[in-house]
Amino acid sequence: MVKSLLKLIACILAIVMALCLVSCNNAPESQPSQATSESTQTSATTTKKSSNSTNPPEPQEPEYLFSEDIKNLIIIIGDGMGPQHITAGQISENKTYGFTEWSKSFCNTNSIDSSGAEVVTDSAASATALATGTLTRNGFVGKDKSGKDLENILEIAKKNKKAVGVVTSDYLHGATPAGFSAHSSNRNNTDEITRSQISSGIDFLCGLRSDDFYEEYLRTIELFKIHYATDLSDKEAIMAAKSVFLPIDLENGKSGAVALKDATAMAIEYLERDTDGFVLMVEQAYIDKYSHSNTIDKVLERVKSLNDTVDTVMEWVGDRTDTAVIVTADHETGGLSGATTPDYEPSYIINNNTLYYDWSSVDHTKTMVEIFVYGIDIDFASISKYKTADKIRNTDVFVLMKEILRFE
């Protein structure tokens, strides 16, 4: 009996174990969880996105300070022309100069010495600051204080396929035109400056005539295939030339002298043929020269000449929207003061107008000059080293010119 019971229990246990084995063998294979699957899918998507993020970004249009599309720039410099020179000129002509109603600010004109300290500038350093955006030492043209060549606005314009020109009532090797067209550590090294100008690639060079001086450069000018002339009578030949070098009788007291405004008009006519636009620098040099001698009547003549030149430029500009014009000075000379009331002595009567005036110096001063801008909607604070609309540096004028023309 007992043996039969044990056999029955063993049989039941065997059946139970067999059923368990069958159940395990028929169970479905384990599947990855949904979370694991989603994680894998997310990882793949992330990898794909990461791969796309390594592609270069779409090119962005550079941001410019000014929205206007300007292709021509004319900068007119009254050498030595401080705010009171302009005031005196307006009094003497009994009129308001049109350019004084443009956007305007004041400009610090100081240069630096070898240690970097600010000093009263000369025309070489101030022209270099305007043309290159770099402060330099007095006597240096187109070079920094260590003597390294600086790229000027005309060179940059030339690289950007624009025509470029210089017109001055001074000799072309004078300090202001040299600052825009040459490189030398000595403003008096007229040979180095002249050879630099000849090889500069500038399209239109026009200044004061000096036959004896330029005689030794004629062969070099010819080698560069530059048209040379000492007057403007053969206009057809000038206009047909690839580039011109024109030392002429410019407002220097000789019979038949060419007015600065007329030389400027010819320069514009020559340069505007370039469909990419042009950059032209014009200098009235003798405001400075006559201020050194405190010769008020001659100063007023030259201030009038500058305003006549601006008027000629603006007649050409007309209703154009592709041209900007800057009128400024490199520095003030003579410490001039002027008024219509007897605040100063002596007085000068011209055109039935009485100008009361005074000079405090026969040299350059630290008086800030003015800058006037036409053709763009400008907030001077946007280019000012001082971050104010009321005052900029001479080096900021270079920044302004580059921004106007959208040069990198």
Side-chain angles (χ1 to χ4, degrees), residues 7 19 30 41 49 64 82 142 153 162 174 190 194 219 257 268 280 340 349 351 360 377-378 407:
K7 285 181 180 181
L19 290 173
S30 64
Q41 184 176 359
K49 287 182 179 178
Y64 299 110
I153 190 65
K162 292 186 181 292
T190 55
T194 302
R219 178 59 179 158
I268 291 173
L280 172 65
T340 56
I349 299 176
N351 299 327
S360 64
D377 183 16
I378 179 173
F407 292 159

Side-chain angles (χ1 to χ4, degrees), residues 313-329:
V313 167
M314 296 312 295
E315 286 174 13
W316 174 80
V317 171
D319 58 0
R320 302 176 71 110
T321 58
D322 63 353
T323 301
V325 184
I326 297 173
V327 176
T328 190

Side-chain angles (χ1 to χ4, degrees), residues 156-173:
I156 297 171
K158 197 67 180 174
K159 287 198 313 186
N160 282 271
K161 305 185 185 310
K162 292 186 181 292
V164 296
V166 170
V167 176
T168 175
S169 60
D170 194 5
Y171 298 107
L172 279 165
H173 51 72

Side-chain angles (χ1 to χ4, degrees), residues 118-188:
E118 289 194 17
V119 295
V120 177
T121 194
D122 75 343
S123 291
S126 57
T128 299
L130 293 170
T132 71
T134 302
L135 293 178
T136 194
R137 297 160 59 183
N138 289 344
F140 282 27
V141 290
K143 288 182 178 284
D144 68 13
K145 67 176 185 176
S146 65
K148 180 182 177 182
D149 282 2
L150 296 167
E151 190 173 45
N152 64 56
I153 190 65
L154 297 189
E155 290 170 323
I156 297 171
K158 197 67 180 174
K159 287 198 313 186
N160 282 271
K161 305 185 185 310
K162 292 186 181 292
V164 296
V166 170
V167 176
T168 175
S169 60
D170 194 5
Y171 298 107
L172 279 165
H173 51 72
T176 302
F180 280 80
S181 60
H183 304 276
S184 178
S185 296
N186 184 350
R187 61 179 288 178
N188 295 317

